[in-house]
Amino acid sequence: ACAMIPGAPRDTVRRRIKLVSALYFAANWAPRMAGAMLAGTGVFSKLRSDSVSIWPAADQAVMTDESHRPALQLDSSEGIAQGGSAAIVDLARYRHEMPGLFQSISVPTVFLHGTEDGNVPIEVARWAHSLISHSRFEEVSGGGHLFVVADPTPLIRALR
């Protein structure tokens, strides 16, 4: 669900939010800065609250809805609970192709993706789906990167 795929061609991430692209770039070339961006420390302390307006409307709705705040805060804090280095390593790896990755997938695979995802554009999922012949592709019309927070029904349905 809205997952980034290693080796995704540059044209599939063309619609990605510039700030997210900057984070991926920093993960490769300035990992300490990327860590500060993820943790929201130093000059990046207000980054999350100040950047809500750059996200698609669907994600803005999730980010500003007080009922979703506990889940979003838990996700954010758990993601870096043991430090941000693992997340930075993961972000840096997405830039590199992983030969044989798609040919080795033999389990049922479903790509579920929001059409308005600005973090991982839907083109990434379409590309990966095209490389796994037995996969299914389902789009969530109007859904952003955080569509599962607002409504987990499409994910639950896809998993069944």
Side-chain angles (χ1 to χ4, degrees), residues 10 39 42 54 63 73 77 96 126 130 143:
R10 192 178 299 247
I54 66 174
M63 294 171 166
Q73 287 176 336
S77 63
H96 305 286
R126 288 183 179 134
S130 74

Side-chain angles (χ1 to χ4, degrees), residues 5-80:
I5 310 292
R10 192 178 299 247
D11 65 323
T12 64
V13 294
R14 200 174 37 240
R15 293 187 317 109
R16 184 164 51 199
I17 294 168
K18 300 287 186 248
L19 180 61
V20 175
S21 290
L23 176 61
Y24 278 86
F25 181 84
N28 280 281
W29 306 109
R32 293 182 78 194
M33 184 172 80
M37 289 172 78
L38 277 179
T41 58
V43 297
F44 302 107
S45 63
K46 291 182 61 184
L47 189 61
R48 284 192 184 103
S49 60
D50 289 352
S51 66
V52 170
S53 64
I54 66 174
W55 289 82
D59 286 326
Q60 286 183 39
V62 172
M63 294 171 166
T64 58
D65 185 328
E66 289 298 319
S67 68
H68 298 311
R69 190 167 308 275
L72 294 173
Q73 287 176 336
L74 180 63
D75 180 62
S76 180
S77 63
E78 287 298 317
I80 59 170

Side-chain angles (χ1 to χ4, degrees), residues 86-105:
I88 301 306
V89 168
D90 280 349
L91 288 171
R93 284 184 179 151
Y94 287 123
R95 148 174 206 250
H96 305 286
E97 289 185 35
M98 298 179 77
L101 173 67
F102 299 105
Q103 294 79 6
S104 67
I105 297 173

